[in-house]
Amino acid sequence: MRVVPAVLRSRPVRLVSVFVATCVVAGWMVAAGHGAPRGEAGPAAGSRPQTRTYYIAADEVVWDYAPAGRNLVTGQPFGPVENTFVASRPGRIGSAYLKCLYRGYTDAGFRTHTRPASEAYLGMLGPVIRAQVGDTIRVVFRNQCAFPTSIHPHGVFYDKASEGAPYADGSDPSDRDDAAVPRGHGYTYTWQVPDRAGPGAMDGSSVLWMYHSHTDEVADVYAGLIGPMEVTRRGMARPDGSPRDVDRELFSLFLVGDENASPLLEASLHRFAQPPYPPLQDEEFVESNLMHSVNGYLYGNQPLPTVRIGQRVRWHTMSMGTEVDLHTPHWHGNTVTVNGMRADTVQLLPAGMVTADMVPDDPGTWMFHCHVADHITAGMLTRYRVVA
């Protein structure tokens, strides 16, 4: 007897005739509904390029998709549908899995992990890499996971020695150490940030890119190796690279995390499930390992980000995955502008990135979720709070 309603089955999409992936925000003049933000001058003249160094490791960790142990959206204990995904029992892993995640460190010793409390909501995502047009990004990387990994960036300029992807590209063998960093080894990636990596004519002051492991791209991403990268217009960046005309930034990954494709699946099964163990191809077992998450959290278990009325809030949303990863992030209570258009829902495809600007005017704790019906049922819901 099946415990999973038919609506939850992650089936291929047979018909997608038109799917508009809206791009990025046109600027704060439209977002606020009036003139340019008060107190903000234009781009500074002659901003000096700099090299921004990040220390990032791929770490093996235990990740819990539902650490509160209950549905924080409904405020109720988990029921039969939620327990399809989160209950650990004979033959089922539950909500905790072994993952390989990018984590930021203070220096090349990789001893002190850095993530301020204000960024706890990032969850499974790697540290935010930030730069201004004209800068150089230097990532000192160390792989501490059980399989080879890499870092491949979107949007910025790199040569073959910093691409982070192995394939028959005709490059010299000396340029391939970046593509599969063995366990216990490190590599330093260098990426340039030219004009074409920064905001375009209809963008706001910053744009979203992403980075992820590309050694075995599908398996690596499902293991958890993905993070956000932001590039700010020349002359518009604070010292940390964030845009100075934005008060608060939030980054969100919408992903049906297929733990069946993770290289750590069997290790998770034997660590967290009770015997007897099912065949890995068992239909209901496969279903139980599809984690419909926002930043690696199900059913509102993400730490609650807070914004203030009147703040200039920039939401960066992105997705990865397969044909079931057609996502429609929707904000309750407040609206955003995207590419000059007013909305409260945006559209994402796998590897899609959409930036939306919000000036909150409605206080309260509000839902933020994918509007695809299957994804709602399976837990792709979180919340945000607006305070005075």
Side-chain angles (χ1 to χ4, degrees):
M1 176 179 178
R2 289 199 43 80
V3 298
V4 185
V7 70
L8 291 182
R9 179 143 312 282
S10 287
R11 52 196 178 278
V13 176
R14 292 180 294 177
L15 179 62
V16 180
S17 58
V18 178
F19 192 92
V20 180
T22 320
C23 52
V24 290
V25 65
W28 287 107
M29 184 178 295
V30 178
H34 47 72
R38 288 171 292 183
E40 294 293 349
S47 298
R48 294 177 61 86
Q50 61 179 287
T51 297
R52 300 179 187 270
T53 300
Y54 292 85
Y55 301 95
I56 298 177
D59 290 341
E60 189 170 301
V61 304
V62 174
W63 182 257
D64 195 335
Y65 285 93
R70 59 192 288 113
N71 189 327
L72 296 183
V73 173
T74 65
Q76 301 297 316
F78 289 133
V81 172
E82 293 101 323
N83 282 330
T84 299
F85 305 99
V86 301
S88 178
R89 58 186 188 275
R92 296 293 181 270
I93 295 172
S95 65
Y97 288 79
L98 291 173
K99 304 289 288 180
C100 186
L101 305 182
Y102 291 130
R103 300 205 299 176
Y105 286 83
T106 57
D107 54 47
F110 294 101
R111 297 184 187 89
T112 305
H113 172 49
T114 59
R115 174 154 283 178
S118 62
E119 294 184 353
Y121 80 93
L122 287 170
M124 201 172 68
L125 289 177
V128 180
I129 294 175
R130 289 187 171 94
Q132 179 177 232
V133 169
D135 288 346
T136 298
I137 299 171
R138 180 172 174 265
V139 178
V140 180
F141 175 63
R142 183 172 181 82
N143 180 26
Q144 302 183 137
C145 291
F147 49 91
T149 65
S150 70
I151 302 183
H152 168 70
H154 287 228
V156 293
F157 186 92
Y158 46 82
D159 59 22
K160 283 295 178 181
S162 286
E163 184 180 10
Y167 59 101
D169 58 2
S171 62
D172 189 271
S174 63
D175 289 337
R176 297 177 187 171
D177 292 342
D178 61 306
V181 180
R183 182 176 191 172
H185 291 251
Y187 190 84
T188 298
Y189 297 88
T190 302
W191 309 323
Q192 304 300 322
V193 188
D195 286 340
R196 57 95 154 162
M202 294 186 65
D203 290 322
S205 56
S206 66
V207 292
L208 174 67
W209 300 106
M210 67 171 72
Y211 63 94
H212 56 84
S213 182
H214 211 307
T215 303
D216 182 347
E217 180 181 2
V218 174
D220 294 355
V221 170
Y222 285 136
L225 290 168
I226 186 169
M229 180 166 57
E230 180 185 36
V231 174
T232 298
R233 193 183 308 278
R234 191 190 305 268
M236 291 296 293
R238 296 186 178 94
D240 68 354
S242 64
R244 58 188 175 88
D245 63 340
V246 178
D247 300 314
R248 180 82 159 103
E249 293 184 290
L250 297 168
F251 298 81
S252 298
L253 171 68
F254 288 76
L255 175 68
V256 181
D258 188 355
E259 294 289 345
N260 304 287
S262 168
L264 299 170
L265 174 67
E266 291 191 64
S268 293
L269 175 64
H270 290 276
R271 180 163 177 174
F272 300 114
Q274 305 165 36
Y277 303 120
L280 298 184
Q281 295 77 28
D282 177 80
E283 188 177 7
E284 293 186 0
F285 176 69
V286 168
E287 184 77 25
S288 74
N289 297 319
L290 299 175
M291 312 307 281
H292 297 61
S293 64
V294 181
N295 288 7
Y297 293 104
L298 304 176
Y299 299 110
N301 273 242
Q302 181 187 29
L304 193 65
T306 298
V307 299
R308 295 187 177 278
I309 289 177
Q311 274 190 320
R312 298 161 299 181
V313 181
R314 182 158 290 168
W315 293 81
H316 298 285
T317 63
M318 61 186 191
S319 178
M320 282 294 272
T322 186
E323 64 268 25
V324 299
D325 284 281
L326 310 178
H327 301 302
T328 52
H330 166 59
W331 292 264
H332 285 216
N334 293 274
T335 66
V336 297
T337 56
V338 181
N339 199 28
M341 296 180 290
R342 186 71 63 181
D344 64 5
T345 304
V346 297
Q347 295 80 43
L348 288 172
L349 289 166
M353 294 161 278
V354 175
T355 294
D357 283 336
M358 173 190 290
V359 179
D361 60 3
D362 199 352
T365 298
W366 301 106
M367 196 182 301
F368 178 46
H369 66 95
C370 178
H371 230 302
V372 175
D374 287 6
H375 300 175
I376 292 172
T377 308
M380 194 174 279
L381 314 103
T382 187
R383 300 164 299 153
Y384 71 103
R385 178 177 293 144
V386 179
V387 299

